[in-house]
């Protein structure tokens, strides 16, 4: 039987939610952070909107939102931090991520607003809402840049496999690949009206990642790359580049923009069941990331690149197939990231000029704009965003710095700093109470990593990093005999300082 205090708390919370209902509708209708905004409701009018997911189904959906392209950089993160310390950091980042995901839903229960923008607006008003909007624009936009880098790197290697003579001008090939893919694939997909169909196909990304992981593990066990030389840095337990490594790991675990989508899709979504789903999902994501990191690092050790697929020889047909799979996964994800960026820009412009809350109908696919004027503005905004990502991407040829930048400046504030700040503001307990101390630690950790990481990364963001270089252990390949430059076996694979 419930105690009187429990009943009182329940009534108080329910009353609080009702009092805020009118003002908080903006949070629900402006939930551009949830991919659910891309999905059309399939139920008929008057019937139940959609079937709720069981705990295993919710866990699978959550895993699908966590595991993505970021895992390809985990071996490089282990190289930056040191193999032993890097694995320890991977556990720490996964644990902190697990806590922050649970904390976000607690914030939702405290304020009665079950969306990330709603929580921030309830906690810090318009200032919190606009700060979140800025970070949520940065995260997918930087991800789009990283996708251009990945597609340019991976597909250019596949093309050179069929036309070896192109290996002597990899820069031009890479630029041409990104240009062609942008014009003929990315732009049509980003302008595609029914974006919800692309969102429904997002599970293909998880399938591609699993297949790539199987290929990476197979290459380690087969011994095809046992000729990769050891260097003095190969098995060092710890390195000093901890902050950039944490940025890459945070990017790999970033899924906070889909938290409330998964939570609201659950049957009997109690905090106990939510914690169980979060533990299962983050645990599985950690396992995938750890397998990628261990298999990739044990194969290439100190020569691990920001994009693991860059390490494999250009005539390795299995890994060329993996490169194609990875590119397909990237191209299916690109328009979803573009959609999020576009809708944030359009929503903020409308809200600025109207000086009032802009309603957002989550029951409709927001890609279906109405009216020629809205259609034209949407197209212009989309083209500007895609073109901006295309222009910026050639400034770095390595995935590592882009992952670090996105992780440090966007993923860590979104995943750790803002959820902690929201809970500190919304929870009625004192700042140094047992309930708030972990949230305070989360904020301090995220703030220190972000500030120190930006100070370290910014001066070295654009270095002499180059792609189109055959690694030393591949120098006997037919590509090398065609005059393409190759890396010596002592090359240090820090993307900001690579030397030929």
């Amino acid at each position: 039987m419930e105690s009187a205090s429990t009943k009182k708390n329940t009534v108080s919370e329910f009353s609080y939610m009702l009092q805020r209902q009118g003002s908080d509708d903006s949070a629900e209708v402006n939930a551009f952070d949830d991919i659910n905004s891309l999905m059309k409701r399939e139920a008929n009018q008057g019937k139940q909107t959609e079937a709720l997911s069981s705990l295993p189904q919710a866990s699978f959906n959550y895993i699908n939102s966590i595991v993505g392209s970021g895992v390809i950089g985990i071996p490089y993160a282990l190289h930056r931090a040191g193999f032993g310390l890097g694995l320890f950091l991977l556990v720490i980042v996964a644990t902190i991520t697990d806590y922050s995901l649970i904390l976000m839903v607690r914030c939702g229960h405290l304020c009665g607003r079950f969306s990330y923008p709603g929580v921030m607006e309830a906690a810090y008003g318009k200032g919190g809402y606009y700060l979140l909007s800025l970070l949520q624009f940065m995260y997918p936009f930087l991800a789009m840049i990283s996708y251009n880098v990945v597609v340019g790197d991976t597909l250019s290697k596949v093309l050179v496999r069929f036309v070896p003579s192109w290996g002597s001008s990899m820069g031009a090939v890479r630029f041409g690949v990104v240009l062609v893919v942008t014009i003929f694939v990315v732009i049509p997909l980003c302008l595609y009206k029914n974006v919800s169909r692309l969102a429904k196909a997002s599970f293909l990304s998880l399938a591609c990642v699993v297949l790539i992981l199987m290929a990476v593990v197979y290459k380690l066990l087969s011994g095809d790359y046992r000729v990769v030389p050891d260097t003095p840095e190969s098995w060092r337990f710890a390195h000093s580049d901890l902050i950039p490594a944490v940025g890459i790991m945070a990017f790999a675990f970033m899924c906070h923009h889909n938290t409330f989508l998964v939570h609201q899709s659950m049957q009997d979504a109690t905090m106990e069941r939510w914690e169980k789903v979060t533990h299962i999902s983050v645990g599985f994501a950690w396992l995938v990331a750890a397998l990628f990191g261990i298999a990739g690092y044990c194969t290439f050790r100190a020569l691990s690149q920001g994009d693991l697929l860059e390490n494999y020889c250009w005539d390795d047909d299995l890994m060329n197939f993996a490169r194609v799979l990875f590119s397909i996964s990237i191209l299916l994800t690109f328009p979803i990231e573009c959609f999020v960026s576009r809708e944030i820009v359009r929503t903020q412009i409308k809200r600025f000029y109207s000086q009032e809350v802009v309603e957002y109908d989550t029951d409709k696919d927001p890609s279906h704009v109405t009216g020629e004027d809205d259609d034209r503005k949407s197209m212009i905004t989309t083209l500007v965003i895609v073109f901006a990502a295309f222009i910026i991407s050639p400034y770095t040829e390595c995935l590592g710095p882009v992952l670090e930048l996105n992780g440090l400046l966007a993923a860590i504030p979104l995943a750790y700093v803002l959820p902690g700040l929201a809970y500190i503001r919304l929870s009625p307990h004192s700042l140094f109470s047992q309930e708030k101390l972990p949230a305070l630690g989360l904020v301090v950790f995220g703030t220190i990593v972000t500030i120190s990481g930006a100070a370290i990364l910014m001066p070295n963001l654009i270095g002499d990093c180059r792609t189109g270089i055959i690694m030393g252990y591949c120098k006997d390949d037919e590509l090398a005999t065609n005059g393409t430059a190759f890396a010596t076996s002592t090359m240090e694979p820090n993307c900001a300082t690579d030397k030929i």
Side-chain angles (χ1 to χ4, degrees):
M1 185 173 182
E2 279 187 317
S3 64
S5 60
T6 302
K7 291 182 179 179
K8 182 178 180 180
N9 290 337
T10 303
V11 173
S12 299
E13 182 176 351
F14 182 70
S15 301
Y16 180 74
M17 291 171 62
L18 287 178
Q19 291 170 3
R20 302 191 61 92
Q21 183 67 39
S23 62
D24 286 352
D25 285 343
S26 64
E28 295 301 313
V29 296
N30 282 289
F32 48 71
D33 54 310
D34 291 339
I35 291 183
N36 192 36
S37 300
L38 302 175
M39 310 295 286
K40 298 181 69 176
R41 307 275 186 184
E42 295 181 351
N44 295 326
Q45 187 176 5
K47 296 183 179 180
Q48 186 178 358
T49 55
E50 56 182 304
L52 297 179
S53 57
S54 63
L55 193 147
Q57 290 171 332
S59 299
F60 177 80
N61 291 335
Y62 217 1
I63 291 168
N64 187 32
S65 69
I66 300 173
V67 178
S69 60
V71 295
I72 211 75
I74 296 299
Y76 177 66
L78 297 184
H79 160 67
R80 295 297 297 267
F83 184 64
L85 184 57
L87 289 176
F88 177 73
L89 278 178
L90 194 63
V91 175
I92 296 298
V93 170
T95 303
I96 295 175
T97 300
D98 182 272
Y99 171 70
S100 68
L101 292 171
I102 295 173
L103 199 66
M104 286 183 65
V105 173
R106 287 180 184 169
C107 290
H109 283 286
L110 285 171
C111 66
R113 300 173 69 168
F114 290 90
S115 73
Y116 203 168
V119 167
M120 288 305 299
E121 193 168 24
Y124 294 99
K126 290 185 177 180
Y129 178 86
Y130 285 122
L131 175 60
L132 179 69
S133 300
L134 174 63
L135 292 174
Q136 284 198 306
F137 173 81
M138 286 178 56
Y139 178 78
F141 183 73
L142 289 174
M144 290 164 61
I145 295 174
S146 69
Y147 294 164
N148 282 337
V149 173
V150 169
V151 170
D153 289 344
T154 55
L155 291 186
S156 61
K157 305 300 185 299
V158 177
L159 289 176
V160 169
R161 171 60 174 155
F162 294 101
V163 188
S165 60
W166 289 2
S168 58
S169 55
M170 283 299 296
V173 173
R174 179 179 176 275
F175 181 84
V177 166
V178 177
L179 177 62
V180 170
V181 168
T182 298
I183 294 175
F184 295 103
V185 180
V186 170
I187 291 179
L189 286 177
C190 290
L191 293 176
Y192 183 51
K193 289 286 187 179
N194 197 355
V195 186
S196 62
R197 293 182 181 177
L198 295 176
K200 291 178 181 179
S202 64
F203 76 94
L204 290 176
S205 175
L206 179 60
C208 289
V209 169
V210 172
L211 290 175
I212 295 170
L213 174 60
M214 293 172 62
V216 169
V217 173
Y218 171 78
K219 284 298 176 181
L220 170 65
L221 299 178
S222 68
D224 290 350
Y225 288 86
R226 59 182 177 274
V227 296
V228 175
D230 276 318
T231 73
E233 305 295 321
S234 290
W235 295 107
R236 182 170 293 183
F237 180 83
H239 287 293
S240 59
D241 295 332
L242 301 181
I243 301 300
V246 171
I248 295 174
M249 294 174 184
F251 178 82
F253 281 97
M254 179 63 190
C255 62
H256 295 63
H257 50 302
N258 293 323
T259 298
F260 289 104
L261 164 64
V262 179
H263 175 266
Q264 290 178 296
S265 72
M266 287 178 57
Q267 296 174 356
D268 188 22
T270 62
M271 280 304 304
E272 181 181 359
R273 285 172 60 84
W274 174 249
E275 290 178 9
K276 187 176 296 184
V277 166
T278 303
H279 296 333
I280 293 172
S281 304
V282 174
F284 184 85
W286 175 85
L287 179 62
V288 173
L291 288 175
F292 257 108
I294 293 172
Y297 188 85
C298 288
T299 304
F300 300 107
R301 300 177 289 283
L303 300 182
S304 299
Q305 302 292 294
D307 178 356
L308 176 63
L309 298 180
E310 280 284 288
N311 280 106
Y312 294 95
C313 299
W314 300 1
D315 62 346
D316 189 329
D317 291 329
L318 175 60
M319 299 316 296
N320 279 334
F321 176 67
R323 289 179 174 116
V324 172
L325 286 179
F326 197 48
S327 297
I328 292 173
S329 172
I330 290 298
L331 292 176
L332 286 175
T333 308
F334 196 110
I336 298 176
E337 304 289 3
C338 180
F339 172 82
V340 173
S341 298
R342 183 189 73 200
E343 291 307 306
I344 290 173
V345 171
R346 296 180 71 235
T347 300
Q348 300 315 311
I349 291 175
K350 289 180 180 179
R351 188 164 181 168
F352 176 79
Y353 281 108
S354 65
Q355 295 298 318
E356 61 184 20
V357 172
V358 179
E359 292 194 351
Y360 209 81
D361 189 354
T362 55
D363 287 339
K364 295 181 180 179
D365 186 340
S367 63
H368 287 289
V369 292
T370 58
E372 293 183 1
D373 187 54
D374 283 342
D375 196 25
R376 183 171 61 254
K377 289 180 180 178
S378 178
M379 182 182 68
I380 293 173
T381 305
T382 300
L383 292 177
V384 169
I385 292 173
V386 172
F387 184 72
F390 169 74
I391 291 297
I392 296 174
S393 58
Y395 282 93
T396 178
E397 294 187 4
C398 279
L399 184 62
V402 182
L403 295 180
E404 293 168 6
L405 184 68
N406 204 356
L408 293 170
L409 299 186
I412 288 179
L414 283 171
Y416 308 143
V417 179
L418 295 188
L421 287 174
Y423 185 77
I424 289 173
R425 186 63 173 265
L426 294 171
S427 176
H429 300 94
S430 62
L431 180 61
F432 296 103
S433 64
Q434 183 178 358
E435 289 78 11
K436 279 191 177 179
L437 272 179
L440 181 62
L442 193 68
V443 173
V444 171
F445 169 79
T447 302
I448 292 175
V449 171
T450 298
I451 294 175
S452 58
I456 295 171
L457 184 62
M458 287 301 185
N460 301 315
L461 185 60
I462 302 177
D464 57 356
C465 172
R466 294 175 57 190
T467 56
I469 301 171
I470 301 178
M471 304 299 290
Y473 48 81
C474 296
K475 64 183 179 180
D476 293 330
D477 291 346
E478 58 177 309
L479 292 173
T481 64
N482 283 306
T484 307
F486 59 86
T488 64
S489 61
T490 58
M491 176 180 137
E492 169 63 34
N494 184 334
C495 276
T497 58
D498 279 353
K499 304 294 182 184
I500 309 303

